[in-house]
Amino acid sequence: MKIYFYTGPHCSLCDLADVEIARTSMSSSLTIEKINIRQSTKLYHLYGARIPVLKRDDNNKEIGWPFTTADLEEFLQ
C-alpha cells in the first residue's frame, strides 16, 4: 500500500510518527513517499499546522498527528 507522508524540515513530531509507522504490523508492506510541504505553497497551507499527516493513495483518507500504533493499524485496514 502506498502512503504519502506529509512532513517538513526538522520536524520532531514527524520523527515520532516514523516510530509509530515502524511499529505497525503492515510496516514492511508499505511504500511511503515523504513529501516536504515547504516545497509547495498549496501543501504548506493545507498541512502546515497539521504535520505529520499520512494519506492513503488508494482511498485518499488521512490521519494526522497525534496517532498511536493502534490508530495506524485501524487506518491501514
Side-chain angles (χ1 to χ4, degrees):
M1 174 186 309
K2 184 170 184 175
I3 301 290
Y4 298 103
F5 186 150
Y6 295 100
T7 185
H10 313 292
C11 175
S12 60
L13 296 178
C14 299
D15 295 338
L16 295 173
D18 269 330
V19 171
E20 294 300 326
I21 293 167
R23 291 180 179 165
T24 66
S25 61
M26 295 183 65
S27 66
S28 63
S29 65
L30 297 176
T31 301
I32 299 172
E33 181 179 338
K34 288 192 175 182
I35 300 171
N36 182 345
I37 62 164
R38 299 225 178 186
Q39 301 299 320
S40 161
T41 303
K42 180 182 175 184
L43 290 177
Y44 184 77
H45 286 291
L46 283 171
Y47 298 110
R50 301 190 314 143
I51 61 171
V53 174
L54 304 178
K55 182 177 181 178
R56 288 177 57 150
D57 183 53
D58 61 345
N59 62 15
N60 290 323
K61 288 186 179 179
E62 296 181 350
I63 187 171
W65 190 259
F67 48 78
T68 65
T69 304
D71 296 331
L72 286 178
E73 293 285 352
E74 184 176 333
F75 172 71
L76 296 171
Q77 294 302 316

